[in-house]
Amino acid sequence: MKKFLILLSFCGLLFALPFMLAAQTNHKFLDPDLPIDERVNNLVGQMTLEEKISQMINTAPAIERLGVPAYNWWNEALHGVARSPYPVTSFPQAIGMAATWDVESIYQMADYTSDEGRAIYHDSSRKGKTGIFLGLTYWSPNINIFRDPRWGRGQETYGEDPFLTGAIGSSFVKGLQGDHPVYLKSSACAKHYAVHSGPEWNRHTYDAKVSNFDLWDTYLPAFKELVVDTKVSGVMCAYNAFFGQPCCGSDELMMDILYNQWNFNGYVTSDCGAIYDFFQTHKTHADAAVASADAVLHGTDCECGNGAYKALADAVGRGLITEEEIDLSVKRLFKIRFQLGMFDPDDRNPYAKTPVSVLECDEHKAHALKVARQSMVLLKNENKLLPLDKKKIKKIAVVGPNANDESVLLAYYYGYPTKVTTLLEGIKSKVGKNIQVVYEKGVNLTDNLVFTSRYDDKVFSYDGKQGFKANYYQNTNREGTPGLSRREKEVDYQWGDGQDIANGIITRQMSAHWSTVYSPKESGEVCFYLKADDWAELYIDGVKQNSVSQIYSYFPFKAEKGKKYNIDIYYRQHADNAEITFDLGTLKTTNYAEVANSVKDADIIIFAGGISAKIEGEEMPVEIEGFKKGDRTSIALPAVQREMLSALHATGKPVVFVLMTGSAIGLEWESQNLPAIINAWYSGQAGGQAIADVIFGDYNPAGRLPVTFYKNVDDLPDFEDYSMRNRTYRYFTGKALYPFGYGLSYTTFQYGSLDISGKNGGQVVKVTVTNTGDREGDEVVQLYLSNKRDFVTPIRSLKGFKRIHLKAGESQTVEFALTADELSLVSPSGGKTPMKGDVLISVGGGQPSPDALAAQKCIQKKITLP
């Protein structure tokens, strides 16, 4: 007991020591009663040049003599905390959250995400862990404009409209950062600044050149709202150049707009590796010293990536930058850390005691389901096929590549929840035992080679016993003695970054080798399947195997009964999530008619297809028909899925198409031939349940498209053309398949009594909305303005929206207050000019059209402004 008390006293002394030091003159920065700027100045003033530079890289090391702990600035929270070794709540991908058109829901989602991030940070800090993806500086949200559906990272954005993007992004930032007068709950970061939205394959060399009109009308409004109005604490500058200067060293974007016009007082980080692009790909700078000095002089405070900023000492020696100029960036970085409470006692910081019990708590999981439901967009519902009546159904067939795939729901920049509900699981849970549910994958996303697992752990052995020999190394090249060796039953793992495996091996900069002997029970062709993130290779009897598919790692093999085959699996992981799965089964080329024939006796066929983050995303190696390095070259549904849908349609049974995607798909054939289409996006951990709720009417869908669904790629201008001419609903002169703002409901709404009055230099718009159907539901009320002038103006622009809930027969008056800024246009020079003359105000459940106006689903009124 005495030893315990001595130890307890010693631990208490260690905890109190930094704050005891605050009483000393040279440790004023530890005094929480002093103003933050004074504390920052005190701390930075005691650092050497080398120490200052070390803090300007995302992997900032500890400064032990000053009691400054190590900190890694890089963390992600796009739709929940990402890449964490802790279990977290996974919400729908950003594009799905935009489809909710509900700023309150997104605020709550970000608030819950910030809770989980706080719990992870404090728990890991108490355990002495300060690595990547554990900090409180989240490099989210992505508020680039989704100007072209071919961009693979468009799924990370809030769509194609600056107003919607700004509103959703602002709500996200407020939820993430909190509203405490002193402390940030966590730090949000608006990215990628600016004029950045693909292609992925040339983002390190591309020089974006846009008119002043497009810059201020489309590409900057959301950034301005987050920086000027919402006070986002971080900004990430983009990879590409802007008029010949890399964005992180742009005179116009950084010095003139961000700092001079908008008076930004947070911190700026580069995108990862972007400073190296200055001299390696853009070739605008001679070397790392010149590039680093220029980036810092333009206000890029933190470098993510390769450590180019280590050359800043050389830059000072060469007279390219002064230590005082470096001080400015270091102070901005430490101000954020002080605002996050990293140097204060826990009792001063209201967020410091956030418990780990908030991770995946019931409240957060319930909200993940709510947001997933809200994101569902009903695109087509011919003859009111949906919702399905369980009393009239005996058998349901579930088909398609996304029907039972967890990964498609988690999308990109994700963390691991404890449970992910697939669509197949959601439907089975919904119908119980009273309705038969059969499942056929049918096809993959882009090919018709379908793997069926036949895994049998009895055919794999090591040293005569079932399983695999596993060797783990805390390096990426399997060098030296393994840090961990053990027998494992199977190879099937999902780890977050930095997760402890055992024996001190963590999933960062690690590698592994699994070996076993395969003894087939019978002769014939089998197929090995290997899924991995980051890299893995399969060897059979010492021979490296080549996959027959670029997307799915399939390795067909002719096995002979009585023989033994040595199997070796090699794996390495640098950072990010660590995943590896090894399986054994059969590989079969799909016979479309055969699959259709097997399910033709079902009362309803539900096909879950689309695409996934396996083939659209950030700078990927994928190059197959329709896809290029993360982007798309076609917006059509992959041909194998079209073939499968055609065969299913030919059965004569109704087909419900559940589309999972992060971007617009050209559904020409599908919209003409299939009776019901639901756009489910990448809907997070509760996605399968949310889709099932919509299919069976336990939730009335009300999601609205945040992007235009064009008919085909011929509707689109050149991908590399950043002009907004004929792009997005604001400038597209063709006929969209499904327009921006579109979405159906199981009930009907009508609009009337549009009242408009001038007030305080703006206009107040009031409209009455009535639920004229027989069930309750949400309506998304949308307000658009049109003002034609003698210069280019949008066809119409969204200037207000509100998601409301109405019971059957209920009416509600919705009010919008249009400010002078919202009643302005961007002039050709990029400045703001008031609307003049006739201004058409349209309010409805979507954009105005002759059909919508005739059915009173939209109402219009023209006003005249002087």
Side-chain angles (χ1 to χ4, degrees):
M1 183 67 178
K2 185 176 180 180
K3 290 181 178 179
F4 174 76
L5 291 173
I6 292 173
L7 178 61
L8 187 63
S9 298
F10 179 67
C11 290
L13 180 62
L14 284 178
F15 178 79
L17 185 58
F19 307 107
M20 292 167 62
L21 292 172
Q24 302 177 26
T25 303
N26 63 333
H27 284 87
K28 285 183 178 180
F29 67 89
L30 290 175
D31 185 350
D33 292 320
L34 293 177
I36 285 180
D37 286 341
E38 184 176 340
R39 298 171 71 187
V40 169
N41 290 338
N42 175 259
L43 174 57
V44 175
Q46 298 179 64
M47 292 182 185
T48 66
L49 175 61
E50 289 72 20
E51 288 170 338
K52 294 172 185 176
I53 293 170
S54 74
Q55 299 300 300
M56 297 173 68
I57 300 170
N58 72 285
T59 53
I63 306 176
E64 294 182 3
R65 69 181 187 85
L66 294 174
V68 175
Y71 184 68
N72 196 310
W73 286 81
W74 189 352
N75 208 345
E76 306 283 354
L78 187 65
H79 53 114
V81 177
R83 300 172 174 175
S84 169
Y86 294 74
V88 294
T89 308
S90 179
F91 298 90
Q93 178 59 292
I95 193 69
M97 290 194 291
T100 69
W101 292 59
D102 189 334
V103 293
E104 287 83 8
S105 272
I106 304 312
Y107 173 89
Q108 190 65 73
M109 169 268 162
D111 184 48
Y112 288 156
T113 295
S114 197
D115 284 339
E116 297 198 3
R118 270 286 173 179
I120 291 168
Y121 169 75
H122 291 295
D123 187 64
S124 58
S125 294
R126 292 175 188 122
K127 294 174 180 176
K129 298 179 180 180
T130 58
I132 193 171
F133 308 133
L134 294 174
L136 293 171
T137 42
Y138 296 104
W139 291 346
S140 304
N142 183 339
I143 55 168
N144 292 131
I145 295 301
F146 197 179
R147 66 183 179 90
D148 192 301
R150 289 168 288 196
W151 186 34
R153 295 192 74 181
Q155 62 178 286
E156 301 175 33
T157 75
Y158 301 130
E160 69 184 39
D161 181 70
F163 186 88
L164 179 64
T165 298
I168 297 288
S170 177
S171 187
F172 178 93
V173 169
K174 290 175 182 176
L176 208 64
Q177 294 190 167
D179 57 2
H180 194 273
V182 175
Y183 294 104
L184 289 168
K185 189 175 185 182
S186 58
S187 169
C189 180
K191 66 182 185 184
H192 308 81
Y193 183 71
V195 196
H196 178 87
S197 54
E200 286 297 295
W201 66 77
N202 66 1
R203 64 181 185 167
H204 299 285
T205 57
Y206 187 72
D207 185 12
K209 297 177 181 178
V210 298
S211 67
N212 282 333
F213 174 80
D214 284 337
L215 179 66
W216 287 98
D217 179 63
T218 297
Y219 294 109
L220 291 186
F223 282 102
K224 181 180 180 182
E225 181 167 348
L226 264 63
V227 169
V228 177
D229 300 325
T230 314
K231 308 302 180 186
V232 69
S233 54
V235 168
M236 176 184 283
C237 44
Y239 285 119
N240 57 280
F242 180 72
F243 283 100
Q245 291 181 307
C247 284
C248 295
S250 167
D251 292 340
E252 183 173 1
L253 293 178
M254 297 291 288
M255 302 306 296
D256 181 23
I257 297 173
L258 184 64
Y259 286 109
N260 293 336
Q261 293 189 41
W262 294 349
N263 296 311
F264 179 60
N265 62 1
Y267 83 101
V268 174
T269 181
S270 76
D271 208 337
C272 295
I275 307 304
Y276 266 74
D277 287 353
F278 280 40
F279 56 94
Q280 288 188 335
T281 54
H282 291 305
K283 299 188 184 300
T284 53
H285 295 70
D287 54 32
V290 176
S292 298
D294 199 32
V296 174
L297 289 171
H298 280 86
T300 305
D301 308 305
C302 176
E303 183 215 357
C304 175
N306 302 323
Y309 273 14
K310 293 176 183 178
L312 282 170
D314 180 37
V316 172
R318 291 161 58 180
L320 300 172
I321 192 171
T322 67
E323 185 170 355
E324 290 72 24
E325 288 166 328
I326 286 174
D327 285 351
L328 182 59
S329 283
V330 179
K331 289 178 181 180
R332 283 197 286 245
L333 292 171
F334 272 102
K335 183 173 183 178
I336 296 294
R337 292 182 67 176
F338 276 96
Q339 288 176 313
L340 289 165
M342 293 181 177
F343 296 90
D344 290 358
D346 285 356
D347 61 0
R348 296 293 291 266
N349 183 348
Y351 306 119
K353 295 181 180 179
T354 307
V356 292
S357 59
V358 302
L359 300 176
E360 281 195 307
C361 66
D362 289 345
E363 194 175 10
H364 295 188
K365 289 189 287 187
H367 196 64
L369 175 60
K370 176 183 177 180
V371 178
R373 285 168 165 170
Q374 289 185 306
S375 72
M376 300 292 154
V377 182
L378 182 61
L379 295 177
K380 186 179 180 183
N381 192 23
E382 190 176 89
N383 298 322
K384 297 183 178 179
L385 174 63
L386 298 177
L388 300 180
D389 186 346
K390 287 184 282 188
K391 296 177 182 178
K392 299 179 180 179
I393 297 173
K394 293 181 179 180
K395 185 175 182 178
I396 297 173
V398 180
V399 185
N402 287 334
N404 199 34
D405 184 0
E406 293 182 5
S407 66
V408 70
L409 300 172
L410 297 181
Y412 195 65
Y413 281 105
Y414 60 93
Y416 291 118
T418 301
K419 171 62 179 174
V420 179
T421 303
T422 68
L423 173 58
L424 179 62
E425 292 169 336
I427 289 173
K428 285 183 174 180
S429 176
K430 180 68 63 177
V431 302
K433 297 180 180 180
N434 297 325
I435 298 175
Q436 182 184 1
V437 178
V438 296
Y439 166 64
E440 289 282 349
K441 187 175 184 181
V443 293
N444 292 320
L445 293 171
T446 60
D447 65 53
N448 60 353
L449 298 173
V450 176
F451 174 81
T452 302
S453 177
R454 300 282 189 265
Y455 192 85
D456 181 356
D457 55 17
K458 295 182 178 63
V459 301
F460 298 108
S461 63
Y462 177 73
D463 280 349
K465 296 181 181 179
Q466 288 181 20
F468 296 75
K469 178 184 179 182
N471 288 330
Y472 294 88
Y473 304 80
Q474 199 64 69
N475 58 69
T476 57
N477 298 312
R478 303 189 307 279
E479 295 175 344
T481 303
L484 170 65
S485 294
R486 65 186 184 187
R487 181 183 300 277
E488 296 179 349
K489 180 180 178 181
E490 59 184 356
V491 181
D492 187 12
Y493 295 107
Q494 288 185 331
W495 296 296
D497 187 274
Q499 188 164 334
D500 291 314
I501 297 177
N503 256 32
I505 296 290
I506 65 168
T507 51
R508 187 181 311 119
Q509 298 293 312
M510 59 83 70
S511 56
H513 173 205
W514 289 271
S515 56
T516 191
V517 175
Y518 167 53
S519 303
K521 291 183 177 180
E522 56 186 32
S523 297
E525 187 167 282
V526 298
C527 182
F528 295 111
Y529 169 68
L530 185 63
K531 172 190 173 185
D533 185 7
D534 295 321
W535 172 95
E537 287 183 336
L538 174 68
Y539 283 74
I540 302 176
D541 286 339
V543 178
K544 178 184 173 183
Q545 304 299 297
N546 294 317
S547 174
V548 296
S549 169
Q550 188 177 3
I551 308 304
Y552 303 91
S553 295
Y554 298 143
F555 306 96
F557 180 72
K558 289 185 178 180
E560 292 184 34
K561 183 179 180 180
K563 283 193 173 184
K564 296 182 183 297
Y565 301 93
N566 294 313
I567 305 293
D568 292 281
I569 302 166
Y570 299 103
Y571 172 73
R572 68 166 176 252
Q573 179 252 4
H574 292 280
D576 200 343
N577 294 328
E579 303 175 1
I580 185 161
T581 298
F582 175 73
D583 203 351
L584 171 68
T586 59
L587 192 66
K588 183 180 179 181
T589 301
T590 299
N591 181 309
Y592 302 105
E594 186 178 286
V595 174
N597 187 61
S598 72
V599 299
K600 68 179 183 181
D601 62 337
D603 299 298
I604 195 86
I605 300 171
I606 298 172
F607 182 86
I611 52 181
S612 85
K614 293 185 181 81
I615 51 179
E616 67 166 348
E618 182 176 3
E619 201 173 13
M620 302 167 70
V622 176
E623 287 199 62
I624 56 176
E625 183 177 356
F627 300 86
K628 180 180 179 180
K629 294 187 180 298
D631 296 321
R632 291 188 289 154
T633 57
S634 167
I635 62 171
L637 190 70
V640 293
Q641 295 186 52
R642 177 82 52 79
E643 290 286 338
M644 189 71 259
L645 278 167
S646 180
L648 296 172
H649 175 62
T651 66
K653 295 299 176 69
V655 178
V656 177
F657 181 22
V658 177
L659 174 66
M660 299 183 189
T661 180
S663 50
I665 305 289
L667 302 173
E668 287 188 282
W669 181 91
E670 295 79 7
S671 64
Q672 292 172 7
N673 291 279
L674 303 179
I677 305 174
I678 299 171
N679 188 357
W681 312 103
Y682 304 142
S683 45
Q685 66 184 58
Q689 180 180 344
I691 301 167
D693 287 343
V694 168
I695 288 174
F696 291 97
D698 294 313
Y699 186 82
N700 188 353
R704 299 292 185 263
L705 293 180
V707 290
T708 300
F709 271 48
Y710 304 94
K711 293 180 180 179
N712 56 58
V713 76
D714 294 335
D715 283 342
L716 305 175
D718 188 293
F719 191 6
E720 296 181 63
D721 179 6
Y722 267 70
S723 166
M724 293 306 296
R725 187 181 304 109
N726 212 33
R727 287 192 184 279
T728 76
Y729 81 95
R730 296 193 307 144
Y731 296 103
F732 180 56
T733 56
K735 182 174 176 57
L737 189 63
Y738 298 111
F740 173 89
Y742 174 86
L744 301 176
S745 171
Y746 293 153
T747 189
T748 55
F749 300 93
Q750 286 189 350
Y751 287 73
S753 303
L754 182 62
D755 179 68
I756 304 171
S757 58
K759 186 176 181 181
N760 298 326
Q763 298 286 330
V764 175
V765 179
K766 296 180 181 179
V767 66
T768 301
V769 187
T770 303
N771 182 346
T772 55
D774 59 1
R775 64 166 63 208
E776 65 180 347
D778 288 2
E779 170 70 323
V780 178
V781 186
Q782 303 165 41
L783 185 154
Y784 296 88
L785 298 182
S786 301
N787 182 214
K788 295 182 180 180
R789 300 286 288 278
D790 58 356
F791 54 85
V792 175
T793 61
I795 297 169
R796 64 183 61 92
S797 289
L798 180 73
K799 293 298 179 182
F801 65 90
K802 187 174 183 181
R803 183 165 178 148
I804 62 173
H805 184 81
L806 294 175
K807 296 178 181 178
E810 183 182 6
S811 296
Q812 181 176 329
T813 299
V814 179
E815 180 176 313
F816 298 98
L818 295 174
T819 65
D821 185 67
E822 289 159 352
L823 289 165
S824 298
L825 297 167
V826 174
S827 70
S829 65
K832 280 290 185 79
T833 183
M835 291 182 177
K836 293 181 180 180
D838 290 341
V839 177
L840 184 63
I841 298 178
S842 306
V843 185
Q847 291 185 58
S849 68
D851 289 344
L853 291 166
Q856 290 185 279
K857 295 178 181 178
C858 179
I859 191 167
Q860 291 182 324
K861 184 175 286 189
K862 190 178 291 183
I863 63 172
T864 301
L865 297 178

